[in-house]
């Protein structure tokens, strides 16, 4: 059925769109009595953000499952695949600190950045695990292989992480129009 609509637009500065719209919804539900037949719909970036969050909630477990399968296929070991997957929460800690220190909120773009961070953590872990595994095959004890592998592979791991971080830094620090998409 056809109906009229009255668009109400507003901009948000200094906070994330999700909490601002959620607060506006709470205030409106307490203070606004709509006549019969009237309704409020929330569109724009908020609706797009909610749709993207829903998609991410579906895709993230699928991505982790696929990563685990690929790791299992690469290592032929559930143990190594689990050890590798368990490095991701450590990487997330650094990402959360970065958001906190820069004053940014968790957004869809930040969530995509976390996905990139997961990939980097997995790649760096594979570099180290493969090297340590090769050292173990050469006869070193686990302790010796871990110490030597850590010493010899710290540079490639740091270079990979640093390159990815510096490559994404301009987009993360942008503040102009359209910066949310860039970030």
């Amino acid at each position: 059925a056809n109906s009229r609509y009255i668009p109400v637009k507003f901009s948000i500065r200094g906070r994330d769109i999700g909490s601002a719209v959620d607060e506006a919804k709470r205030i409106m539900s307490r203070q606004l009595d709509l006549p019969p037949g009237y309704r409020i719909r929330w569109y724009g970036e908020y609706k797009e953000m909610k749709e993207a969050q829903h998609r991410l909630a579906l895709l993230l477990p699928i991505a982790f499952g696929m990563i685990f399968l690929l790791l299992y296929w690469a290592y032929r070991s559930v143990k190594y695949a689990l050890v590798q997957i368990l490095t991701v929460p450590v990487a997330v800690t650094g990402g959360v600190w970065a958001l906190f220190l820069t004053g940014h909120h968790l957004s869809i773009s930040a969530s995509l950045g976390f996905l990139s961070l997961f990939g980097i953590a997995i790649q760096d872990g594979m570099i180290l695990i493969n090297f340590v595994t090769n050292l173990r095959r050469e006869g070193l004890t686990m302790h010796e292989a871990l110490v030597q592998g850590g010493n010899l592979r710290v540079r490639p791991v740091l270079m990979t992480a640093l390159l990815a971080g510096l490559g994404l830094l301009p987009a993360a620090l942008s503040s102009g129009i359209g910066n949310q998409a860039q970030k």
Side-chain angles (χ1 to χ4, degrees), residues 30-84:
R30 279 187 270 133
Q31 297 179 0
L32 182 65
D33 290 325
L34 291 174
Y38 284 76
R39 64 184 180 271
I40 297 174
R41 302 273 169 98
W42 298 89
Y43 290 101
E45 286 183 48
Y46 178 76
K47 183 180 178 192
E48 292 171 13
M49 180 190 73
K50 288 297 183 183
E51 289 172 354
Q53 284 175 341
H54 179 70
R55 281 192 303 272
L56 275 176
L58 293 173
L59 292 176
L60 199 58
I62 293 169
F64 267 107
M66 290 177 67
I67 289 170
F68 180 80
L69 288 174
L70 289 171
L71 288 170
Y72 175 75
W73 182 55
Y75 294 130
R76 305 272 192 249
S77 166
V78 171
K79 179 177 76 172
Y80 285 153
L82 280 175
V83 166
Q84 181 70 53

Side-chain angles (χ1 to χ4, degrees), residues 115-160:
L115 287 176
S116 298
L117 183 64
F118 298 164
I120 293 166
I122 296 293
Q123 179 182 354
D124 287 347
M126 285 190 80
I127 290 170
L128 187 58
I129 288 174
N130 286 336
F131 193 74
V132 168
T133 302
N134 288 338
L135 290 175
R136 293 274 294 146
R137 285 188 191 130
E138 292 176 10
L140 273 66
T141 66
M142 180 59 88
H143 179 73
E144 292 170 336
L146 287 172
V147 170
Q148 189 173 345
N151 285 335
L152 294 175
R153 288 295 163 228
V154 71
R155 188 177 303 155
V157 166
L158 286 177
M159 291 298 290
T160 303

Side-chain angles (χ1 to χ4, degrees), residues 11-32:
S11 296
I12 299 166
R13 295 261 182 229
R15 64 188 289 193
D16 66 297
I17 192 167
S19 68
V21 171
D22 289 340
E23 181 182 346
K25 284 177 155 183
R26 277 193 308 277
I27 291 170
M28 291 180 72
S29 69
R30 279 187 270 133
Q31 297 179 0
L32 182 65

Side-chain angles (χ1 to χ4, degrees), residues 91-131:
V92 169
T93 305
V96 170
W97 273 107
L99 285 175
F100 175 74
L101 292 173
T102 59
H104 288 94
H105 302 283
L106 183 63
S107 61
I108 296 304
S109 52
S111 299
L112 294 174
F114 275 106
L115 287 176
S116 298
L117 183 64
F118 298 164
I120 293 166
I122 296 293
Q123 179 182 354
D124 287 347
M126 285 190 80
I127 290 170
L128 187 58
I129 288 174
N130 286 336
F131 193 74

